[in-house]
Amino acid sequence: MALSKQDQAFYEEKLGWKSFGYLFAATTIIGAIMWPLLLYIQDSSSGDTSKWTFNVVFDWSVIGFLLGSVVAVLMYLAFKFLLSMGWLPSRR
């Protein structure tokens, strides 16, 4: 079933640039913090934390930031595609 004009307008408003900015900020910050943290926890559980320096943490943070940015763009484009196809649920 196709989306009504009100539903279409609602989703277009929700998928604006402001929402993309929030999504981008959230995924990149989470990626920059959680990626090195999870890898450190993995190395810590095996007892191999001697190689961790500031440069290693910085490099893994940059990789997490880039991964978060790719995830944000893919999520945004996926929902834009779903909106253009009319496959999002109606709000009623």
Side-chain angles (χ1 to χ4, degrees):
M1 187 166 120
L3 290 174
S4 68
K5 294 291 181 186
Q6 293 99 358
D7 291 340
Q8 184 85 13
F10 172 78
Y11 283 125
E12 285 177 1
E13 178 187 343
K14 292 297 178 187
L15 289 174
W17 288 108
K18 185 177 179 181
S19 296
F20 176 71
Y22 287 138
L23 177 68
F24 188 82
T27 56
T28 54
I29 290 170
I30 289 170
I33 294 171
M34 293 304 292
W35 188 260
L37 183 64
L38 291 174
L39 290 174
Y40 181 80
I41 291 170
Q42 183 180 3
D43 282 349
S44 177
S45 68
S46 66
D48 186 27
T49 58
S50 61
K51 66 178 180 173
W52 282 84
T53 63
F54 177 77
N55 288 336
V56 172
V57 172
F58 180 76
D59 290 344
W60 284 119
S61 291
V62 170
I63 291 171
F65 178 86
L66 294 173
L67 180 64
S69 64
V70 169
V71 168
V73 169
L74 289 177
M75 286 175 61
Y76 183 76
L77 290 177
F79 279 105
K80 281 294 225 184
F81 173 75
L82 291 175
L83 177 62
S84 70
M85 296 299 288
W87 292 346
L88 292 173
S90 64
R91 296 184 308 133
R92 290 178 251 141

